[in-house]
Amino acid sequence: MTADRYAVAGNPVEHSRSPLIHSLFAQATGQSVDYGRLLCPLDAFKPTLLAFAAGGAKGCNVTVPFKFEAFEMAARRSPRAELAQAANTLRFDAQNGADGGWLADNTDGVGLVRDITVHAGVPLEGQRVLLLGAGGASAGVLGPLIEARPAEIVMANRTIEKAQAIVDRHAAWAAQHGVKLSARSLAEPGEAFDVFINGTAASLSGSGIPVGPQVLRPGTLALDMMYGPAAQTFLQWARDHGAIARDGLGMLVEQAAEAFYIWRGVRPDTKPVLAHMRQLVDQPKTDGAH
Ligand code: ATR
């Protein structure tokens, strides 16, 4: 029997850790999966994907900068992909060469929530959460964060209008879950949050962390969605101010596990895979952001 084919589709994709993570999942669960990399030209995402599916592939993960296009392409979308307006997981349910029947989902948010609550062991229910940024990364996780029922979520962004638009889109979902949700500027994000999530690439640009340390209290969980060298400035800043620093590696593994479940109907054990990835990433000369 030949293995079912999947890939991570993006540009660039050569540094993606997803093929290794999915091969570890496949090994551990006994699933016959062949997961590769699909480099898509910036102006040819759709034809590249259609050819991949026509060749018999079963699905793909989607990364920068195609998560919005992937969402647009699919015939069916999960509620969490609808909230995010972006997809990181496609399942090719129709194999007729057309895009009809494809399912789009977004597993980033549930991956983040599981990393926080399971691996970091920090409950979200009833907590105050600061989510920094209003780009694809932050918009992609807000729905599942709300579902975890914190008392409050503040979305703070340099361009407040962008945060406000995302908050408005999630207002009904927040009300339904009893979560106080607001958009704020970087100048006045609020203070002493229980959980602080960085969904911006600001620390990469050399401009430092774009909010002051008053957003932290001793013991705040401060999580950057990046990992490897890209996350180090943030992690050091968080530790320097008494927070518990965490990178995005656990989120990466958990979002992959959820995609694996969507495709295969089997939920892999993430703990040993995260431990394996941690060893690799904590060695020098690695880099990455998902
Ligand atoms: P992604 O899809 O990875 O989230 P993006 O859509 O380009 O990338 O969003 C990047 C986020 O980082 C945005 O929230 C951006 O703020 P703006 O919406 O105001 O552009 C934020 N960001 C990037 N560089 C920043 C900086 N130097 N200071 C503050 N915020 C920054």
Side-chain angles (χ1 to χ4, degrees):
M1 195 183 79
T2 55
D4 289 335
R5 284 173 62 222
Y6 300 87
V8 53
N11 188 337
V13 283
E14 66 267 27
H15 296 302
S16 172
R17 304 280 185 177
S18 294
L20 174 57
I21 293 171
H22 280 279
S23 82
L24 293 169
F25 287 163
Q27 251 171 42
T29 59
Q31 293 283 307
S32 189
V33 163
D34 168 10
Y35 187 112
R37 292 182 174 84
L38 190 64
L39 178 64
C40 304
L42 290 175
D43 59 352
F45 175 68
K46 187 169 179 170
T48 307
L49 238 62
L50 288 173
F52 185 56
K58 301 284 189 191
C60 66
N61 283 130
V62 181
T63 187
V64 175
F66 301 120
K67 290 185 183 183
F68 304 103
E69 266 186 82
F71 172 78
E72 294 296 333
M73 271 181 85
R76 294 177 303 126
R77 297 147 175 181
S78 70
R80 58 194 180 195
E82 287 284 359
L83 276 172
Q85 300 276 293
N88 77 338
T89 304
L90 291 173
R91 195 177 67 200
F92 303 149
D93 287 346
Q95 296 294 340
N96 56 4
D99 53 353
W102 288 12
L103 173 73
D105 205 337
N106 194 316
T107 66
D108 285 332
V110 76
L112 174 67
V113 167
R114 283 204 192 120
D115 181 56
I116 292 172
T117 57
V118 179
H119 297 296
V122 173
L124 281 165
E125 193 171 349
Q127 304 288 290
R128 293 180 58 246
V129 178
L130 174 62
L131 178 58
L132 195 63
S138 294
V141 300
L142 186 54
L145 270 180
I146 290 169
E147 230 176 319
R149 297 182 186 273
E152 178 179 11
I153 302 176
V154 171
M155 180 177 248
N157 196 43
R158 180 173 60 183
T159 315
I160 192 167
E161 294 77 15
K162 269 168 77 178
Q164 190 61 56
I166 294 165
V167 161
D168 290 348
R169 194 165 83 221
H170 288 74
W173 189 244
Q176 203 179 316
H177 290 83
V179 178
K180 184 178 166 202
L181 178 64
S182 59
R184 297 208 195 138
S185 71
L186 295 181
E188 293 182 321
E191 300 183 356
F193 289 90
D194 303 304
V195 177
F196 172 30
I197 299 158
N198 184 20
T200 75
S203 52
L204 274 186
S205 69
S207 53
I209 313 302
V211 288
Q214 79 279 1
V215 301
L216 304 174
R217 59 161 173 75
T220 294
L221 178 70
L223 186 152
D224 196 311
M225 291 196 214
M226 299 205 183
Y227 62 89
Q232 295 311 313
T233 308
F234 177 88
L235 298 178
Q236 193 56 52
W237 173 84
R239 282 187 211 107
D240 288 347
H241 295 96
I244 297 166
R246 191 166 182 84
D247 68 6
L249 197 63
M251 173 184 172
L252 178 72
V253 171
E254 285 295 338
Q255 64 76 30
E258 183 74 7
F260 193 88
Y261 177 71
I262 290 165
W263 294 326
R264 312 300 301 178
V266 177
R267 205 172 273 290
D269 182 5
T270 50
K271 279 215 163 65
V273 175
L274 179 52
H276 184 107
M277 299 307 295
R278 174 63 63 203
Q279 269 195 335
L280 284 183
V281 166
D282 283 353
Q283 281 162 14
K285 290 186 75 184
T286 58
D287 64 348
H290 49 88

